[in-house]
Amino acid sequence: MRLILLGAPGAGKGTQAEIISEKYSIPTISTGNIIRAALKEGTEMGLRAKAYTERGELVPDEVVIGIIKERLAQDDCREGFILDGFPRTIPQAKALDEMGITVDAALSIEVDDSEIVKRMSGRRVCSGCGASYHTEFKKPEKDGVCNLCGDDLVIRKDDEPETVKNRLSVYHDQTEPLKSYYKAAGKLLEVKGQDKVEDTTALVLGALSGI
Ligand code: AP5
Ligand code: MG
């Protein structure tokens, strides 16, 4: 299974990716998580990306395309993968095509902007592995601690309301056109994001069972 997850910031891509990854035993490649890890480590790429992510803007195409090329060349991607947060622009989608990578589907999780703002305010993420939680909708077993790796849960810097608004507008301008791109290729699947994580999962797995 080679899958792209599309959807606005906060639509639940990371949340569903964790579940699909386990069910199909394929890795999730989240450009957002890779960039946040680089920021934390203070690498050159992290320093380049810092200002963009903090403003809620996209990191330049050549930077993320480089990240993806390197990551997809690793052995664990041979049997398939989930791309969470890539591609996010038409040039990124074209770069993927030029790498000779064909995907089985691009699955878009559709959630209204007003719902997104509500979700982001309660999101907590693991400072270690990047797993995503919510103060109301997806509580960790132990307060403030990641179920998966035991590291601390933190608030993402780009989840400030003003930055979320900017990320949403960037999404509508630059990423949403990818739906037409993959629709034209006969690869688009659309699922309406539900109020409960498990209800969205049921729709997502249903859509994937058809490919
Ligand atoms: P990235 O980390 O990819 O952010 P994003 O796309 O904005 O998406 P999020 O991670 O915020 O949301 P999500 O859809 O994963 O939602 P989640 O599952 O956490 O990118 C960050 C930045 O990096 C970008 O702004 C950009 O600067 C840069 N970047 C990354 N990739 C790039 C690229 N390709 N090109 C250029 N720049 C790039 O869910 C959200 C919350 O809701 C959670 O708290 C969750 O628990 C909760 N939730 C989930 N599902 C439900 C549900 N059904 N009901 C209730 N709550 C739910
Ligand atoms: Mg995410």
Side-chain angles (χ1 to χ4, degrees), residues 103-116:
V103 295
D104 298 301
L107 186 143
S108 176
I109 305 173
E110 302 288 317
V111 178
D112 289 342
D113 287 9
S114 56
E115 182 64 25
I116 297 283

Side-chain angles (χ1 to χ4, degrees), residues 7-16 30-33 35-36 52-53 56-61 64 84-89 92 115 119-120 122-125 132-134 137-138 156 158-159 167 193-198 200:
K13 301 182 295 293
T15 303
Q16 297 303 326
S30 158
T31 38
N33 286 356
I35 292 167
R36 279 185 290 280
Y52 297 100
T53 56
E57 289 167 11
L58 294 182
V59 171
D61 285 337
V64 278
D84 161 16
F86 183 94
R88 248 192 172 77
T89 63
Q92 291 179 19
E115 182 64 25
R119 283 191 190 181
M120 300 304 230
R123 174 162 59 184
R124 299 293 180 271
V125 295
S132 164
Y133 296 86
H134 196 281
F137 308 122
K138 194 189 167 196
R156 254 171 62 174
D158 58 351
D159 278 350
R167 286 163 62 202
Q194 304 294 309
D195 289 342
K196 286 194 179 147
V197 173
E198 55 270 31
T200 306

Side-chain angles (χ1 to χ4, degrees), residues 2-211:
R2 292 169 156 193
L3 178 68
I4 291 170
L5 287 181
L6 295 173
K13 301 182 295 293
T15 303
Q16 297 303 326
E18 279 171 35
I19 298 166
I20 305 165
S21 165
E22 198 171 319
K23 188 171 162 62
Y24 287 86
S25 302
I26 47 174
T28 298
I29 299 159
S30 158
T31 38
N33 286 356
I34 294 172
I35 292 167
R36 279 185 290 280
L39 268 169
K40 202 170 137 192
E41 282 162 31
T43 66
E44 199 190 319
M45 188 270 281
L47 292 175
R48 261 191 95 182
K50 190 173 192 294
Y52 297 100
T53 56
E54 285 180 359
R55 286 195 299 262
E57 289 167 11
L58 294 182
V59 171
D61 285 337
E62 75 270 14
V63 176
V64 278
I65 290 168
I67 293 174
I68 284 292
K69 258 193 193 149
E70 222 172 83
R71 183 63 187 85
L72 288 180
Q74 291 175 17
D75 279 354
D76 63 336
C77 293
R78 273 202 213 136
E79 304 296 323
F81 49 79
I82 304 160
L83 292 176
D84 161 16
F86 183 94
R88 248 192 172 77
T89 63
I90 299 280
Q92 291 179 19
K94 289 190 171 153
L96 196 61
D97 293 344
E98 280 158 20
M99 284 176 224
I101 289 171
T102 48
V103 295
D104 298 301
L107 186 143
S108 176
I109 305 173
E110 302 288 317
V111 178
D112 289 342
D113 287 9
S114 56
E115 182 64 25
I116 297 283
V117 175
K118 221 167 44 188
R119 283 191 190 181
M120 300 304 230
S121 62
R123 174 162 59 184
R124 299 293 180 271
V125 295
C126 175
S127 56
C129 71
S132 164
Y133 296 86
H134 196 281
T135 49
E136 210 181 315
F137 308 122
K138 194 189 167 196
K139 294 181 183 169
E141 282 155 19
K142 195 171 157 214
D143 241 7
V145 179
C146 180
N147 295 349
L148 303 175
C149 74
D151 276 355
D152 290 342
L153 302 185
V154 296
I155 298 178
R156 254 171 62 174
K157 256 198 170 151
D158 58 351
D159 278 350
E160 306 281 340
E162 270 314 300
T163 316
V164 169
K165 265 193 222 160
N166 198 23
R167 286 163 62 202
L168 277 170
S169 101
V170 167
Y171 168 75
H172 291 301
D173 287 351
Q174 302 193 50
T175 307
E176 219 170 10
L178 288 175
K179 288 200 295 187
S180 308
Y181 185 88
Y182 287 109
K183 193 171 188 174
K187 298 283 163 91
L188 184 71
L189 299 172
E190 285 179 283
V191 156
K192 192 158 166 34
Q194 304 294 309
D195 289 342
K196 286 194 179 147
V197 173
E198 55 270 31
D199 292 345
T200 306
T201 303
L203 294 178
V204 165
L205 295 180
L208 294 181
S209 69
I211 58 172

